[in-house]
Amino acid sequence: HRDLHSFPTRRSSDLARREELGIPRATLALLVGVSERTIERWEAGRTPIPRYQRKLAKKLGCSLDELGF
């Protein structure tokens, strides 16, 4: 099964901000428009496609650079 919300290359991304803000993974998934499993993949190092990178940054109140993209 291909993940359509991520690039296959691995990068170091710091989504610890979600935890710092106390946002549950399921809530962030709903806000961004992806599955909770997709959020897990991103937190494990998969790189979200640019559209989702921007949504993540906006919902987490930080820049793309702060997220490591």
Side-chain angles (χ1 to χ4, degrees):
H1 174 265
R2 186 171 167 218
D3 182 359
L4 300 176
H5 306 300
S6 303
F7 288 124
T9 57
R10 293 183 59 86
R11 274 191 180 172
S12 170
S13 62
D14 182 12
L15 293 180
R17 178 121 174 106
R18 175 189 66 77
E19 290 180 343
E20 290 171 10
L21 295 172
I23 300 172
R25 203 176 270 140
T27 300
L28 183 59
L30 285 172
L31 291 171
V32 175
V34 297
S35 70
E36 188 174 347
R37 179 70 182 119
T38 296
I39 298 292
E40 290 174 8
R41 287 182 183 116
W42 294 343
E43 290 179 338
R46 304 259 322 174
T47 302
I49 60 175
R51 174 178 60 179
Y52 292 113
Q53 290 176 14
R54 290 186 295 273
K55 283 185 174 185
L56 278 171
K58 183 176 181 180
K59 299 301 179 186
L60 295 174
C62 58
S63 71
L64 294 177
D65 287 339
E66 289 174 299
L67 289 178
F69 301 134

